[in-house]
Amino acid sequence: MQNIKYLIVGVVFGTVFVKAEILSWFRIQEMFQMQSFFMYGAMTTAVSVGILSVWLIKRFKLKTINGEPITFENKKFSKGQIYGGLVFGIGWAITGSCPTSLFVQIGSGFLAITLTFLSALAGTWVYGRFKEKLPH
């Protein structure tokens, strides 16, 4: 019962994705073929909201619902992020799904996406297994 707030946020987030057609494989293909600005506009809006949110959190020293301070740690750049980004982008272009939209697509009844979900789990396991041997 304590985690009901996460369920509510997830349902609202998924409903917005479905209604905005952000998880549509055709919309994603339009984006990768440079035929439509729709997905770029959606991503630009998401990044802008994120930047504004972080700025507001830092500016007003906002806290979590439980009263804990919100801290941001500086990220260190590594070449592994480039390789990981390329693998992520190729997977996104092939399947039309990112980790977030997988759950929304399965919840929308596209059960074939379950195979993509299982593949993502396998990829995560492979990364965890060989993380120490990969470039970071």
Side-chain angles (χ1 to χ4, degrees), residues 26-38 40:
F26 297 105
R27 288 284 187 191
I28 295 169
Q29 291 303 307
E30 283 178 344
M31 175 186 71
F32 282 116
Q33 295 174 0
M34 304 291 186
Q35 294 176 340
S36 173
F37 184 74
F38 178 83
Y40 294 111

Side-chain angles (χ1 to χ4, degrees), residues 1 10 58 69 81 94 99-100 108 130:
M1 212 54 189
K58 288 182 175 180
Q81 293 167 327
I94 292 172
T100 302
S108 297
F130 297 104

